[in-house]
């Protein structure tokens, strides 16, 4: 009887430990503290509710939100409605038939909010709004890593004791990948006036934290890695079908040959959704290819050339970035035409670099074609671990815009030619030559 009870207790503990992990928990080893924080600041009370400023902060070091931008959804705790909005808008008004006079901006129980586009009328703007939902990563451009909108909420509480927090926050960018926790009451935010001489504060502030999970975001990769070196003629291509197989995708019109005479018409008539990739037909079928070429070897340094190529005919990648892992980044001496920052996800170990383009020079990766690539060269100083053997000179992992790229298998890397084998072959050839000569001399002596 005691044995059965012990087994039941063990099973119960296992079940409890499994259920203690929620779907909102996600961990990025390269950016362990990265998250998107939604701050909900109530700035004033109204006769039937309040006015709030909602700000979305992207505290992720290398993952940004690109076009078509973020969308934010939540569920009201009671029967709240949105009277008016500035800096953003609800995608649907919902059923407002119960209102006879002023019609609210949105009456939906679970509204979906999007950012306004650049160039919105001035009377519809507030600070940090109107970027089309695009947010830079915190490392690349902190000034553009936040977006805000203001809303006037009705049919809500009118004091700190009667107001209720929204729930079930969902952040899309524009697809899935982020999971948001519950809204938490925090210390009221403080605001400085334009002259920095006066500080005001919100009446109430709620924070919602959203974390990213690659597993939830997508199952299909979007980039791949190819390799080459000066010491081996082999060019290791991206693995076949890294992002899809050509036979499957070409049937649905998702790829086009680079030398097609009808390329322009195919690109312009490929559908209304400009964010669906239309890639060049390749063996890997990836929108993005990252190439690492070991270029030169000096006495105390070695040099690498990297190239990022866009095979997507329908997408320009603005504010793109790379994250590359290699053990020699702790001795990176110089980098050309790219910005560089060490991420140091493992404390003192510096083997992870974030790279991105220079503003107004190569921060825009153009669509597939002659201009659809960016390049740079990296100069490393050799250290005690340096070697060209066993693929050490190639990156361990590569990320483009936060997405992990498909790497070639390690046994396919360009290997350093075996000098010992060449010497043995040369010696054997020399011996055979001498024996042949000696035999020839004996035959004609």
């Amino acid at each position: 009887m005691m044995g059965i009870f012990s087994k039941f207790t063990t099973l119960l503990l296992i079940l409890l430990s499994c259920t203690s992990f929620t779907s909102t928990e996600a961990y990025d080893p390269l950016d362990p503290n990265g998250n998107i924080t939604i701050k909900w600041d109530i700035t004033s009370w109204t006769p039937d509710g309040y006015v709030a400023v909602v700000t979305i902060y992207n505290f992720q070091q290398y993952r940004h939100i690109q076009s078509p931008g973020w969308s934010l959804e939540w569920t009201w705790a009671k029967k709240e409605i949105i009277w008016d909005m500035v800096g953003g808008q609800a995608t649907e008004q919902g059923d407002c038939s119960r209102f006879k006079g002023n019609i609210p901006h949105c009456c939906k129980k679970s509204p979906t909010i999007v950012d306004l586009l650049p160039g919105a009328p001035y009377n519809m703007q507030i600070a940090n709004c109107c970027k089309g939902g695009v947010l830079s990563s915190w490392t690349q451009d902190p000034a553009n890593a936040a977006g805000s909108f203001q809303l006037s909420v009705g049919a809500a509480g009118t004091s700190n004791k009667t107001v209720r927090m929204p729930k079930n926050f969902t952040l899309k960018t524009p697809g899935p990948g982020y999971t948001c926790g519950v809204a938490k009451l925090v210390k009221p935010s403080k605001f400085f006036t334009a002259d920095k001489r006066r500080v005001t504060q919100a009446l109430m502030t709620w924070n919602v934290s959203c974390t990213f999970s690659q597993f939830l975001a997508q199952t299909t990769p979007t980039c791949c890695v190819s390799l080459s070196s000066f010491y081996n003629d082999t060019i290791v291509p991206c693995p076949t079908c890294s992002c899809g197989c050509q036979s499957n995708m070409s049937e649905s019109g998702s790829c086009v040959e680079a030398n097609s005479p009808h390329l322009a018409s195919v690109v312009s008539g490929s559908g209304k959704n400009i964010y669906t990739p239309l890639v060049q037909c390749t063996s890997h079928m990836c929108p993005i290819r990252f190439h690492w070429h070991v270029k030169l070897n000096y006495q105390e340094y070695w040099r690498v050339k990297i190239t990022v190529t866009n095979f997507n005919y329908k997408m320009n990648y603005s504010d793109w970035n790379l994250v590359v892992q290699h053990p020699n980044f702790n001795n990176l001496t110089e980098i050309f035409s790219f910005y560089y920052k060490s991420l140091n996800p493992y404390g003192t170990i510096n083997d992870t670099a974030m790279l991105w383009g220079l503003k107004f020079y190569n921060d825009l990766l153009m669509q597939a074609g002659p201009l659809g690539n960016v390049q740079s060269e990296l100069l490393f100083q050799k250290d005690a671990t340096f070697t060209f053997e066993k693929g050490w000179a190639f990156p361990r992992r590569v990320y483009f815009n936060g997405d992990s790229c498909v790497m070639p298998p390690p046994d396919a890397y360009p290997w350093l030619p075996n000098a010992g084998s060449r010497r043995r072959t040369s010696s054997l050839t020399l011996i055979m030559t001498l024996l042949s000569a000696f035999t020839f001399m004996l035959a004609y002596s």
Side-chain angles (χ1 to χ4, degrees):
M1 187 69 180
M2 289 297 293
I4 297 175
F5 179 76
S6 177
K7 291 180 180 179
F8 176 77
T9 304
T10 303
L11 179 62
L12 182 62
L13 289 174
I14 293 174
L15 291 173
L16 287 174
S17 65
C18 292
T19 55
S20 64
F21 297 97
T22 66
S23 61
T24 61
E25 294 174 348
Y27 178 75
D28 183 353
L30 300 182
D31 190 10
N33 299 316
N35 69 83
I36 290 182
T37 297
I38 303 167
K39 187 178 290 290
W40 190 295
D41 292 311
I42 297 179
T43 57
S44 63
W45 302 110
T46 61
D48 70 335
Y50 59 87
V51 175
V53 175
V54 180
T55 305
I56 302 174
Y57 293 96
N58 183 13
F59 290 124
Q60 298 174 113
Q61 291 198 69
Y62 64 88
R63 187 169 283 111
H64 67 270
I65 300 177
Q66 61 187 14
S67 181
W70 56 261
S71 65
L72 181 64
E73 180 180 333
W74 64 80
T75 301
W76 292 116
K78 298 188 290 186
K79 295 182 179 180
E80 293 92 337
I81 51 95
I82 300 175
W83 280 115
D84 190 25
M85 287 194 68
V86 179
Q89 63 183 0
T91 57
E92 296 182 46
Q93 185 181 38
D95 183 10
C96 296
S97 58
R98 71 179 188 271
F99 294 91
K100 305 301 181 183
N102 295 331
I103 305 299
H105 177 80
C106 179
C107 300
K108 288 181 68 68
K109 178 72 173 178
S110 299
T112 299
I113 309 301
V114 295
D115 194 10
L116 295 182
L117 296 175
Y122 287 111
N123 61 348
M124 293 294 295
Q125 296 185 25
I126 64 168
N128 284 328
C129 85
C130 313
K131 304 172 184 177
V134 175
L135 297 181
S136 176
S137 65
W138 194 256
T139 298
Q140 282 180 264
D141 190 359
N144 288 307
S148 301
F149 59 88
Q150 178 181 290
L151 69 168
S152 177
V153 182
T158 56
S159 70
N160 292 34
K161 294 183 178 180
T162 58
V163 71
R164 294 291 178 266
M165 305 179 189
K167 54 187 179 181
N168 299 334
F169 280 85
T170 301
L171 177 67
K172 294 184 178 181
T173 60
Y178 288 90
T179 52
C180 301
V182 297
K184 297 181 179 180
L185 185 64
V186 297
K187 290 183 179 180
S189 301
K190 294 185 178 181
F191 311 99
F192 286 91
T193 56
D195 59 6
K196 308 293 184 181
R197 301 179 65 185
R198 173 175 163 80
V199 179
T200 60
Q201 73 177 39
L203 304 177
M204 287 184 72
T205 298
W206 301 318
N207 270 8
V208 179
S209 181
C210 303
T211 52
F212 181 83
S213 168
Q214 185 72 51
F215 177 77
L216 294 176
Q218 60 186 12
T219 57
T220 303
T222 59
C223 58
C224 63
V225 178
S226 59
L227 309 169
S228 63
S229 67
F230 71 89
Y231 54 76
N232 194 313
D233 293 335
T234 302
I235 298 177
V236 180
C238 288
T240 302
C241 296
S242 295
C243 304
C245 292
Q246 184 174 336
S247 58
N248 296 335
M249 298 185 71
S250 59
E251 292 175 0
S252 59
S254 297
C255 86
V256 60
E257 297 291 346
N259 56 357
S260 171
H262 308 293
L263 178 60
S265 60
V266 172
V267 173
S268 61
S270 57
K272 295 182 178 179
N273 187 0
I274 63 173
Y275 303 106
T276 301
L278 177 66
V279 299
Q280 180 180 319
C281 293
T282 58
S283 61
H284 54 78
M285 294 302 294
C286 290
I288 296 294
R289 183 189 67 193
F290 172 87
H291 186 76
W292 176 285
H293 175 66
V294 181
K295 185 176 180 179
L296 291 170
N297 181 32
Y298 307 106
Q299 184 174 356
E300 296 182 0
Y301 300 89
W302 62 292
R303 195 181 190 98
V304 170
K305 180 179 180 180
I306 59 176
T307 305
V308 183
T309 305
N310 185 4
F311 289 94
N312 189 352
Y313 286 103
K314 295 173 60 178
M315 175 71 80
N316 296 327
Y317 293 90
S318 60
D319 292 327
W320 58 269
N321 66 62
L322 292 166
V323 174
V324 184
Q325 286 189 301
H326 190 281
N328 210 189
F329 270 118
N330 60 333
N331 284 325
L332 179 65
T333 302
E334 191 169 2
I335 183 170
F336 302 89
S337 69
F338 281 5
Y339 286 120
Y340 157 80
K341 182 181 186 300
S342 174
L343 294 185
N344 290 335
Y346 311 112
T348 57
I349 302 175
N350 177 16
D351 67 348
T352 307
M354 179 176 169
L355 313 173
W356 66 98
L358 305 181
K359 200 71 173 177
F360 306 119
Y361 177 63
N362 57 1
D363 61 329
L364 178 65
L365 177 55
M366 298 292 289
Q367 65 189 32
L371 301 178
N373 67 86
V374 290
Q375 301 178 3
S376 180
E377 294 195 3
L378 292 75
L379 186 65
F380 295 96
Q381 185 176 16
K382 297 178 181 178
D383 57 15
T385 63
F386 171 81
T387 178
F388 281 135
E389 296 181 355
K390 299 179 180 179
W392 183 91
F394 299 104
R396 307 307 187 255
R397 299 176 77 181
V398 177
Y399 297 80
F400 178 80
N401 280 355
D403 293 336
S404 180
C405 300
V406 179
M407 299 286 296
D411 58 356
Y413 284 16
W415 291 91
L416 187 67
N418 192 327
S421 297
R422 291 202 306 270
R423 285 195 297 269
R424 286 194 294 271
T425 303
S426 300
S427 300
L428 179 61
T429 302
L430 179 61
I431 292 171
M432 292 301 294
T433 303
L434 290 174
L435 286 174
S436 299
F438 182 70
T439 304
F440 179 82
M441 291 173 64
L442 286 177
Y444 290 95
S445 60

